[in-house]
Amino acid sequence: MLRDIELDIAGLDDDSDDFQPDVVARRAGPSKTPAAPKPSAAQSKLFAALPGRRRQTEQLQQLLFTPGTRLPPSLFITGLPATGKTAVLRHLSSAASASTTSVRTIWISCLETFTQRLLFEAVLNQAAGVAPDAGNGYRVHARCEYPDEFVDSLREICGGRGRGQGDQGSASWVLVLDKVDALRSIKSATLLPMFLKLAELTRLNLCVVLVSSLCWDDLCGRGSYIEPIMMAFPPYTKEETLSVIALDCAKDEPLPFFMSFVEMLYGVFHTPCRDLNELRHIVALLYPKYTEPVREGKVGREQTSKLFGYVQKYIKEALHSLYLRDISSSEWERQIKPKSIAAAPQSTPASPFASSAHTSSAPPPSQNTRTYDLPYYTKFLLIASFLASYNPPRLDARFFSKSGNSRARDGVSKKGAVHNGGKMRQQLLGPKAFAVERMLAIFYSIVDDPNDVDAGFHLYSQIATLVSLRLLVRVTALDNLEAAKCKCNASYDLVSSIGRTVRFDLSKYLFDFVLV
């Protein structure tokens, strides 16, 4: 045995002529890399329900939903809309609540809690298991308006329920604040820092999960906050997008036939639309029209070219009204039923993207409101261009100054005489050219809060859209970028009707209609 050891040592002597580097490996046996653990049945079910999110699901499950582990104080989940952030958390929360009672989840939608009191009371209600409804007179667990009251109440509720289970430390609490960017409307400098340190303040095994489509810097600005653990959800790839939409296939439909239609739609819509929810909506609306010739026995399922030709006109309408909801999905489903199609007049084709007034007995809306269904802030941009065209520049400070004289807005005058314009009335003279910078200044003045303008709202892209719709006309050359000027080509009736949709009274800001 001693001789064998000496041979092994000699084999390790690289200066000798008999050096054999494989001696130790032969003695130790073949190297074995640890195999990845096989997922359990529950994990396999989660991975099948969440295509393309296996890595994020495993990380969140290990970080938040493993019983007996110490939770991080805060976690920030970011990603573009429709990237599975909320879906992954909801599936993990449901699986954890079904398998164990030591991990409890409090789910808050910040869109519904638009005040500090509503936010605090919603968290306390879910922690205490109180559901306000008509049966209990919409009773809340405790009235709470201030952060110190909220911290004391939450410590009392969660600590008491933890002791009821036998060990206070064994109870873990996950507080999910979904769409946390909506909390910026509360305008509190201490609200977000308090939630980031909530585990330290309450001395509980608690993690506050912030879910947002904004990045951390856009959400918090330049404030000195304690940065939480960051987790980013990347956009879905093509294969992952198709896998998610495949889950919407009905049980009585063949999956290869359904996926051939989905791949065809993805090839058409993936450039103008990257939103998974919008793609799923379009698939749900157009697939019944795609299969209608098959149900009627006119075309077989293998004749995909004829089926595409039949549904092509509806795809063109969908491209023109992308992201718009002119008709609900349930109403569209009622329209595509055979009885409804047979009873409908042939001159009015049923379409999910046509106005609902076409299929009802009510009179159709005006051509203006039906033709130009603009995004929210683009409507204010069109209103600002109309005001810039029909108001003299010398009166901008009077009409649009935030801290200036509000006499013109309230309609109060020195003499009380109505200004009808006479021969100088601006409505009769037509629109005047204005600088784009002036229009943007008016735009930021008439919106409710300029800080609430979406980060993804590109002003100059929307100006180009209005120019392409002929609602704005550029009066300077295209190469003149320093002093670009435009004029509004929309009528007063159109702009006034658009203003009513955003609760903006156009007449109070026009020189022709105020008292002077």
Side-chain angles (χ1 to χ4, degrees):
M1 181 175 178
L2 181 62
R3 181 176 177 81
D4 294 337
I5 296 175
E6 291 176 352
L7 289 175
D8 291 344
I9 296 176
L12 294 174
D13 188 6
D14 55 354
D15 294 333
S16 64
D17 297 335
D18 299 328
F19 175 64
Q20 299 176 0
D22 59 331
V23 173
V24 176
R26 190 168 59 249
R27 289 285 183 180
S31 60
K32 296 181 180 180
T33 58
K38 186 178 180 180
S40 61
Q43 287 180 326
S44 300
K45 185 178 179 180
L46 278 175
F47 299 154
L50 301 166
R53 290 294 175 257
R54 176 165 182 167
R55 182 175 62 86
Q56 289 81 7
T57 303
E58 290 177 343
Q59 291 176 352
L60 288 174
Q61 189 174 28
Q62 183 180 5
L63 196 63
L64 302 178
F65 297 100
T66 302
T69 60
R70 186 67 184 177
L71 301 182
S74 57
L75 173 65
F76 180 69
I77 299 178
T78 182
L80 295 176
T83 52
K85 304 182 295 295
T86 303
V88 170
L89 284 172
R90 285 197 180 277
H91 278 78
L92 288 174
S93 175
S94 301
S97 61
S99 60
T100 180
T101 58
S102 61
V103 180
R104 302 181 181 89
T105 305
I106 302 174
W107 196 282
I108 302 297
S109 176
C110 296
L111 293 177
E112 302 173 359
T113 56
F114 50 87
T115 65
Q116 189 167 272
R117 175 187 168 186
L118 290 176
L119 176 61
F120 291 160
E121 292 180 355
V123 175
L124 296 179
N125 288 338
Q126 291 195 33
V130 177
D133 54 15
N136 57 15
Y138 298 97
R139 180 181 62 87
V140 297
H141 174 75
R143 182 184 178 90
C144 184
E145 296 184 3
Y146 302 103
D148 56 344
E149 298 176 348
F150 170 71
V151 171
D152 294 338
S153 299
L154 187 64
R155 184 190 303 117
E156 179 183 356
I157 296 171
C158 298
R161 297 190 70 176
R163 286 190 295 270
Q165 298 292 334
D167 183 13
Q168 182 177 355
S170 63
S172 302
W173 296 84
V174 179
L175 173 57
V176 180
L177 299 180
D178 194 14
K179 296 179 176 59
V180 71
D181 46 307
L183 294 182
R184 295 184 300 173
S185 61
I186 298 180
K187 292 180 172 44
S188 174
T190 60
L191 185 61
L192 190 57
M194 186 269 295
F195 275 107
L196 293 176
K197 299 185 66 177
L198 191 58
E200 178 183 349
L201 295 173
T202 58
R203 299 180 181 178
L204 297 170
N205 189 16
L206 180 144
C207 178
V208 178
V209 182
L210 311 176
V211 183
S212 175
S213 58
L214 302 178
C215 64
W216 179 252
D217 293 336
D218 292 339
L219 178 65
C220 300
R222 298 182 179 179
S224 57
Y225 297 102
I226 299 176
E227 289 193 3
I229 299 176
M230 305 289 182
M231 179 176 291
F233 275 56
Y236 285 110
T237 62
K238 177 182 177 181
E239 292 75 15
E240 294 170 350
T241 302
L242 297 179
S243 300
V244 174
I245 301 179
L247 300 176
D248 299 334
C249 181
K251 295 182 179 179
D252 55 346
E253 288 288 337
L255 184 60
F257 178 74
F258 177 78
M259 291 309 300
S260 65
F261 170 73
V262 172
E263 290 182 9
M264 180 265 295
L265 275 189
Y266 183 85
V268 176
F269 285 94
H270 79 281
T271 300
C273 176
R274 298 298 178 91
D275 193 336
L276 178 60
N277 290 333
E278 186 68 17
L279 291 174
R280 295 175 68 181
H281 175 73
I282 294 173
V283 170
L285 292 182
L286 294 184
Y287 185 70
K289 298 301 296 181
Y290 183 73
T291 58
E292 183 178 322
V294 178
R295 295 193 305 268
E296 296 177 354
K298 298 179 180 178
V299 181
R301 290 183 182 270
E302 68 279 357
Q303 297 175 305
T304 56
S305 59
K306 291 185 178 180
L307 292 174
F308 177 74
Y310 180 79
V311 80
Q312 187 175 7
K313 57 181 179 181
Y314 300 107
I315 294 177
K316 291 181 179 179
E317 292 180 8
L319 283 172
H320 287 298
S321 57
L322 199 60
Y323 292 105
L324 300 179
R325 293 292 187 267
D326 296 331
I327 186 173
S328 64
S329 301
S330 58
E331 188 173 354
W332 167 239
E333 290 176 359
R334 290 194 300 268
Q335 290 182 17
I336 64 175
K337 291 182 179 179
K339 294 182 180 179
S340 301
I341 295 177
Q346 296 182 357
S347 58
T348 306
S351 172
F353 308 98
S355 176
S356 59
H358 290 297
T359 57
S360 62
S361 57
S366 63
Q367 184 67 23
N368 292 336
T369 58
R370 188 171 64 242
T371 303
Y372 301 106
D373 195 353
L374 303 173
Y376 180 76
Y377 288 111
T378 309
K379 295 179 181 180
F380 280 102
L381 200 60
L382 179 61
I383 294 171
S385 67
F386 187 84
L387 294 174
S389 284
Y390 288 95
N391 276 345
R394 57 185 175 83
L395 297 179
D396 285 351
R398 176 183 176 184
F399 281 104
F400 309 112
S401 176
K402 295 290 186 180
S403 60
N405 188 5
S406 60
R407 175 169 49 85
R409 297 190 182 191
D410 299 333
V412 180
S413 64
K414 293 181 179 180
K415 301 180 181 179
V418 180
H419 172 68
N420 56 13
K423 62 180 180 179
M424 295 300 293
R425 182 164 180 169
Q426 297 295 327
Q427 296 293 320
L428 300 178
L429 296 177
K432 299 292 190 297
F434 57 85
V436 174
E437 290 78 7
R438 181 183 170 219
M439 178 188 66
L440 296 180
I442 296 175
F443 167 77
Y444 283 111
S445 177
I446 62 178
V447 294
D448 295 334
D449 190 353
N451 296 325
D452 291 340
V453 178
D454 293 339
F457 181 73
H458 303 288
L459 284 171
Y460 289 97
S461 298
Q462 297 302 317
I463 292 175
T465 301
L466 293 177
V467 171
S468 65
L469 293 174
R470 303 298 295 171
L471 296 175
L472 283 182
V473 177
R474 183 160 184 167
V475 297
T476 55
L478 294 177
D479 56 351
N480 189 1
L481 300 179
E482 296 182 356
K485 290 188 176 182
C486 300
K487 66 178 180 180
C488 184
N489 196 34
S491 64
Y492 171 80
D493 294 335
L494 172 62
V495 180
S496 179
S497 63
I498 291 177
R500 285 193 295 269
T501 62
V502 293
R503 298 180 180 180
F504 184 88
D505 191 354
L506 183 64
S507 60
K508 288 186 178 181
Y509 292 81
L510 277 176
F511 176 64
D512 289 337
F513 296 97
V514 299
L515 299 173
V516 294

